[in-house]
Amino acid sequence: MRVRRVIVGIVLAVLTLSVGQDAGATPPKRRTHTVVMEGTRFQPETISAKPGDTIVWVNKDLFPHSATSAAGKFDSSVIAVGASWKFTAKTKGDFDYTCIFHPTMKGRLRVQ
Amino acid sequence: MKRCAILVAGTLLVSAGIASAQNVNDAQIASIVVTANQVDIDAGKLASSKAANPEVKKFGQLMVTDHTGVNKSATDLVKKLKVTPEDNATSKSIKSGGDENLAKLKKLRGAEFDKAYVDHEVEYHQQVLDAMDKTLIPSAQNAELKALLVKVRPAFVAHLEHAKQVQSSLGKSK
């Protein structure tokens, strides 16, 4: 009895999986990644994401920052102290970015 | 030449003040931090209105914004810890150095002003960093005060690098 239940369970699971794959209905898992702006740095300096993922920059520093990339075509403009800004990655590639106020702050968004 | 001598004298005065500041207590550290930030806010305000070069103007504005942010955190913490900032040789020396710098800058115009302001910013940030590393961070007793200093330190490094970049761009534009 117990064995049959397990078998039915496995068959159902396999069916669900294959149907999902056939129909392309399983949505890709979209993750959210966080970059903290603190100590006049982006932490982590390199963040890896997949297309469709969201990156959130959180300013935990004592003054305003930005996450700005000409290559990645994103610009948060001013992120005030305690504020955050979201960006959804679309295109694959390595995108260097900086803070418009602090040119020594360097970060990289890696979409793969 | 005279200007140069005044600058050197001012620098030595500030260095001497900071160097002599061994064994400072938290109340004195609070006063040093607040004074050091205020001095750079005042110079930044002058530069943001008087600088000829747009990069220098922008840098001045950045100093006002950043050091105001740092000072807000410092004064909030000082209130929370119920510490009354205590004047001392270092804070007085930083204040008089800042006053001398302002007096000198007010007499200058155009490219001369820009150069003098940026040169002083490079020296100032280097001196504050030295003071943080040699005196302020090692001497801070309260853990939150020490943590604030540690958190603020990279901003001074970034400002120093930024000031050097502006300084070298001014050198090239001549």
Side-chain angles (χ1 to χ4, degrees), chain B:
Chain B
M1 195 55 200
K2 193 181 166 194
R3 258 185 220 135
C4 188
I6 291 169
L7 184 73
V8 170
T11 306
L12 286 176
L13 191 69
V14 174
S15 309
I18 289 172
S20 67
Q22 301 302 323
N23 303 320
V24 284
N25 64 35
D26 284 1
Q28 291 168 331
I29 292 173
S31 170
I32 293 167
V33 170
V34 171
T35 308
N37 279 298
Q38 191 56 52
V39 158
D40 208 42
I41 292 168
D42 294 341
K45 279 183 181 163
L46 187 63
S48 65
S49 68
K50 210 178 162 184
N53 182 297
E55 284 303 310
V56 177
K57 203 178 258 274
K58 248 171 63 183
F59 184 83
Q61 281 160 351
L62 181 73
M63 293 307 105
V64 175
T65 306
D66 286 5
H67 288 284
T68 301
V70 172
N71 249 1
K72 187 183 176 305
S73 299
T75 46
D76 286 353
L77 179 62
V78 161
K79 272 182 205 154
K80 186 188 154 195
L81 299 176
K82 297 192 169 76
V83 170
T84 307
E86 184 187 314
D87 273 0
N88 55 83
T90 304
S91 63
K92 283 178 188 163
S93 158
I94 293 170
K95 177 80 175 75
S96 62
D99 288 345
E100 279 171 32
N101 182 43
L102 280 184
K104 188 188 81 178
L105 288 175
K106 280 176 182 165
K107 291 178 197 153
L108 301 176
R109 301 237 173 285
E112 267 195 336
F113 173 92
D114 292 357
K115 188 181 181 315
Y117 169 69
V118 174
D119 286 350
H120 187 269
E121 284 300 291
V122 171
E123 285 166 23
Y124 159 87
H125 283 93
Q126 186 61 65
Q127 283 161 7
V128 173
L129 269 174
D130 289 348
M132 276 190 153
D133 291 342
K134 288 176 191 154
T135 310
L136 305 183
I137 294 175
S139 305
Q141 292 298 308
N142 181 278
E144 284 184 82
L145 180 63
K146 197 187 271 276
L148 179 69
L149 293 170
V150 169
K151 183 170 174 168
V152 163
R153 189 187 180 279
F156 281 87
V157 176
H159 288 170
L160 176 62
E161 285 311 305
H162 195 166
K164 282 180 179 172
Q165 283 172 15
V166 177
Q167 190 179 43
S168 92
S169 76
L170 287 182
K172 281 172 198 157
S173 63
K174 270 183 182 175

Side-chain angles (χ1 to χ4, degrees), chain A:
Chain A
M1 195 57 191
R2 196 178 283 168
V3 173
R4 188 183 289 172
R5 257 190 218 160
V6 170
I7 290 171
V8 169
I10 289 171
V11 169
L12 275 176
V14 169
L15 275 175
T16 313
L17 259 176
S18 54
V19 166
Q21 273 173 353
D22 287 346
T26 312
K29 279 186 185 170
R30 289 186 175 168
R31 293 184 55 202
T32 299
H33 311 267
T34 302
V35 179
V36 174
M37 299 154 136
E38 195 171 23
T40 324
R41 269 190 291 258
F42 297 111
Q43 300 176 32
E45 280 189 359
T46 298
I47 190 101
S48 296
K50 290 193 163 65
D53 286 359
T54 298
I55 298 92
V56 184
W57 280 267
V58 183
N59 185 357
K60 291 191 182 175
D61 221 333
L62 307 172
F63 32 77
H65 288 301
S66 87
T68 307
S69 172
K73 293 178 185 159
F74 61 86
D75 179 14
S76 64
S77 78
V78 184
I79 305 176
V81 174
S84 63
W85 181 74
K86 283 180 192 176
F87 172 72
T88 301
K90 292 182 186 79
T91 323
K92 287 186 181 180
D94 280 0
F95 306 112
D96 288 341
Y97 67 92
T98 185
C99 164
I100 42 169
F101 308 109
H102 306 97
T104 53
M105 285 173 75
K106 297 194 192 304
R108 173 173 287 181
L109 168 60
R110 173 166 287 173
V111 187
Q112 51 195 5

